[in-house]
Amino acid sequence: MLGRMRWFNEVRGDGMIECEDGEPYRVLAEDFVTSPPVGRCAGVEVTFRAAAEPGRAVDVALSQEDAPRRARLRSHRVMRGSS
């Protein structure tokens, strides 16, 4: 089946995939063929198969051309006013 990642939480190890027909599928870190996505992955195309458990995706593979991007680090500068 084809779908797109909605989101994936690296810390919890779970996420959601939206299938071509709009049906949502839950995915866990161990359900990926290789390693799970790191960083932003919303909209990344994936292939998967439906598990025996309803609404669960297994054998999930990220498409090569849609490799996820790392989240951009933002600097946390302290704004100093004049005293």
Side-chain angles (χ1 to χ4, degrees), residues 6-72:
R6 277 193 189 168
W7 56 269
F8 187 80
N9 185 311
E10 299 169 47
V11 175
R12 290 192 328 228
D14 71 334
M16 291 297 285
I17 294 173
E18 186 170 325
C19 190
E20 293 173 310
D21 61 8
E23 195 69 30
Y25 285 85
R26 183 168 186 242
V27 61
L28 300 178
E30 65 261 16
D31 297 329
F32 286 88
V33 175
T34 58
S35 59
V38 176
R40 293 186 220 169
C41 66
V44 172
E45 193 172 277
V46 295
T47 58
F48 67 98
R49 67 181 180 84
E53 179 184 330
R56 175 91 182 267
V58 293
D59 297 335
V60 181
L62 301 171
S63 76
Q64 294 300 323
E65 63 271 3
D66 275 343
R69 302 174 306 277
R70 293 288 299 170
R72 185 173 20 153

